[in-house]
Amino acid sequence: LGLDATQEVLVKNSIDKITEEIYHSHCVYCTPDRLARHAGLLPGDADFESVGERLGKEFDDLYVDLVSVETAGFYDEIETMLGRINPDVKLGALTNACVAYAHAVLQKNCPVYASEEENGNEEKKTAAGGLRPVYDRFSAIHGADDVPKPKPHPDGLHKCCEDMGLDPKDCVYIGDSPTDAMAADAAGMTPIGVMWGSNGEEKLRAAPFQFLCNSVEELAQLLPIVD
């Protein structure tokens, strides 16, 4: 989804498309920085920030609109696992995309439940807002556009901890990128890596993850699950 949205923005602005390899290697940067680099600019160039902000805004608007269960669905068994986490445990989310994207992904993937009397009445369900058991449990949701510095800096994770009233040492951060591990390590959290994302095993093993999981089942064994 991210690559498709990136290519569309580049073509719209008469900029050459990029390869999938370049896209993934540049995901270490926040969206404006990444798009400015795709446009051939580097930090220090006169137009780096202004071009990055303009292209980043175009990307964010398109990216969020494209979110659906089909384009940005949870990995298999993730929703079930989240629902089994002890209800006393606080949940947070941090992405290097915009915060609107984080909300969109969680909202699309967490089913809406309505009372029996509202079933079949879409207007009433929309007005009621529905109930999102998993989504509503996230007491901290942030993106690169609403924290001081994006990952691999720890600022976003510190902001999540502040929102939740928690000490970073009492938290774990789960991610699929070396920058996730670096941010968690710098924040004083326990970094847990998962192997089913877009980064290869070699990169993940070189990152400062304390644990690496090959499956959702392995991940669940590290978390406070209630059967």
Side-chain angles (χ1 to χ4, degrees):
L1 178 62
L3 176 58
D4 291 341
T6 295
Q7 304 288 42
E8 187 168 334
V9 169
L10 295 179
V11 170
K12 179 182 176 182
N13 287 273
S14 301
I15 300 169
D16 291 340
K17 287 185 175 182
I18 57 172
T19 65
E20 185 173 352
E21 182 180 2
I22 289 176
Y23 170 75
H24 287 303
S25 68
H26 282 62
C27 282
V28 297
Y29 304 111
C30 63
T31 300
D33 283 10
R34 180 174 66 81
L35 270 296
R37 291 168 190 268
H38 293 333
L41 300 172
L42 292 173
D45 290 346
D47 296 331
F48 183 82
E49 290 189 7
S50 60
V51 170
E53 288 178 5
R54 177 174 58 81
L55 296 179
K57 176 66 166 58
E58 291 182 23
F59 174 86
D60 286 344
D61 290 344
L62 175 62
Y63 198 35
V64 173
D65 284 344
L66 291 174
V67 171
S68 68
V69 174
E70 291 72 32
T71 61
F74 281 167
Y75 286 98
D76 290 345
E77 303 177 19
I78 288 293
E79 181 192 332
T80 300
M81 185 201 73
L82 288 173
R84 294 173 56 211
I85 293 176
N86 189 311
D88 293 330
V89 173
K90 295 183 178 180
L91 303 180
L94 174 68
T95 175
N96 264 6
C98 62
V99 65
Y101 175 77
H103 281 282
V105 170
L106 289 171
Q107 290 171 346
K108 293 292 185 182
N109 282 279
C110 299
V112 177
Y113 297 97
S115 64
E116 289 186 12
E117 64 184 24
E118 292 171 352
N119 284 338
N121 187 332
E122 294 301 323
E123 182 178 351
K124 194 168 185 178
K125 280 193 284 187
T126 300
L131 296 175
R132 295 183 173 89
V134 175
Y135 174 69
D136 285 349
R137 287 195 57 190
F138 281 81
S139 51
I141 301 175
H142 289 288
D145 58 338
D146 75 337
V147 297
K149 292 182 180 179
K151 297 177 291 184
H153 299 284
D155 303 55
L157 292 177
H158 284 156
K159 176 59 177 171
C160 287
C161 289
E162 179 183 335
D163 289 354
M164 295 186 289
L166 297 174
D167 190 312
K169 67 179 177 57
D170 296 324
C171 302
V172 302
Y173 184 59
I174 301 163
D176 64 357
S177 167
T179 56
D180 295 326
M182 294 164 64
D185 188 57
M189 294 182 175
T190 298
I192 299 176
V194 297
M195 308 282 277
W196 54 80
S198 59
N199 287 280
E201 181 175 349
E202 184 177 351
K203 282 187 176 181
L204 295 178
R205 293 200 179 280
F209 285 114
Q210 291 190 26
F211 302 94
L212 279 175
C213 303
N214 286 293
S215 67
V216 175
E217 182 179 359
E218 286 186 10
L219 175 60
Q221 291 175 359
L222 299 174
L223 302 177
I225 296 296
V226 176
D227 292 321

